[in-house]
Amino acid sequence: MTCGENGLLFNIWGVSADGSVELGGTYCDESGSPQPADVLTPGRILEAFRRIPVPESPIGVNPVGGRTLVNFDTILHTEAEPFTETVQLLGRSVTFDIEPSEFAWSTGQGDGFTTSDPGQPYRESLPMSAYVTHRYLRAGDVRLGLQTTWTARWRVGNGPWRPVDGVVTIDSDPVPLEVVTARPQLVTYD
């Protein structure tokens, strides 16, 4: 295709490390015109975001001690805080505003659930509705797992914020938990 007065229109393609190909833009080559600047494509932005080390979210459980009861609300929580990171990409300073958006809990008994809340440790003054909880229905040894999904927005310099087209997901180290049954027993102090 032609462009300008006597130029040729070229497509600029980007190839990611995983082999995917994405159209990054076009360039009109006219004699004597300057070469195009590198383009910050959505694919390059996502690749840069995925290279930023995001923290693992440690798993916390109440009651403490690695043991909980069947048919008892077990409180789950983690720590995952938003942060910013600035990187150099194609000669430009790109700032990423990164935050956790989803927590996928694996209970260790073949089921799981997802929250947008990281939960919080037990405090005596809070009602149970203030916590992220799970109720185990059968006894056994389990490995409690967590997968945290991080999202981001980005900008060049003081330019407008734009969403990153993709996410980063990090698995936490699983936590062993013993789920036991309790038997009520009437006792006397006589």
Side-chain angles (χ1 to χ4, degrees):
M1 296 180 69
T2 61
C3 61
E5 291 183 23
N6 288 324
L8 292 175
L9 184 65
F10 291 93
N11 289 329
I12 300 172
W13 296 91
V15 179
S16 298
D18 66 1
S20 63
V21 179
E22 182 176 326
L23 179 64
T26 59
Y27 167 65
C28 183
D29 184 12
E30 294 184 276
S31 59
S33 66
Q35 294 298 313
D38 287 328
V39 180
L40 291 175
T41 63
R44 285 182 172 163
I45 294 296
L46 178 58
E47 185 180 323
F49 173 42
R50 289 185 172 160
R51 284 195 308 260
I52 295 172
V54 294
E56 180 183 313
S57 305
I59 300 172
V61 180
N62 291 103
V64 296
R67 181 184 256 188
T68 192
L69 292 172
V70 170
N71 293 321
F72 179 80
D73 284 330
T74 302
I75 298 172
L76 311 177
H77 56 91
T78 189
E79 294 175 17
E81 296 294 327
F83 67 99
T84 59
E85 185 79 26
T86 301
V87 300
Q88 291 297 311
L89 183 61
L90 301 177
R92 298 174 183 96
S93 270
V94 179
T95 301
F96 289 90
D97 185 22
I98 304 167
E99 66 180 14
S101 61
E102 187 175 273
F103 303 93
W105 301 91
S106 171
T107 66
Q109 290 189 339
D111 59 350
F113 60 98
T114 302
T115 66
S116 58
D117 181 357
Q120 59 184 318
Y122 175 77
R123 288 194 319 224
E124 194 171 313
S125 61
L126 294 178
M128 284 307 290
S129 61
Y131 301 104
V132 172
T133 64
H134 176 70
R135 190 171 283 204
Y136 286 95
L137 301 179
R138 62 184 186 280
D141 292 332
V142 299
R143 294 183 64 74
L144 181 62
L146 174 61
Q147 190 175 70
T148 304
T149 299
W150 297 83
T151 57
R153 58 186 188 150
W154 67 279
R155 71 178 179 184
V156 176
N158 290 325
W161 287 104
R162 297 179 179 105
V164 174
D165 188 20
V167 299
V168 171
T169 303
I170 300 293
D171 290 322
S172 299
D173 286 335
V175 170
L177 187 61
E178 183 183 9
V179 183
V180 297
T181 55
R183 185 173 38 144
Q185 183 175 357
L186 184 60
V187 295
T188 181
Y189 293 99
D190 290 345

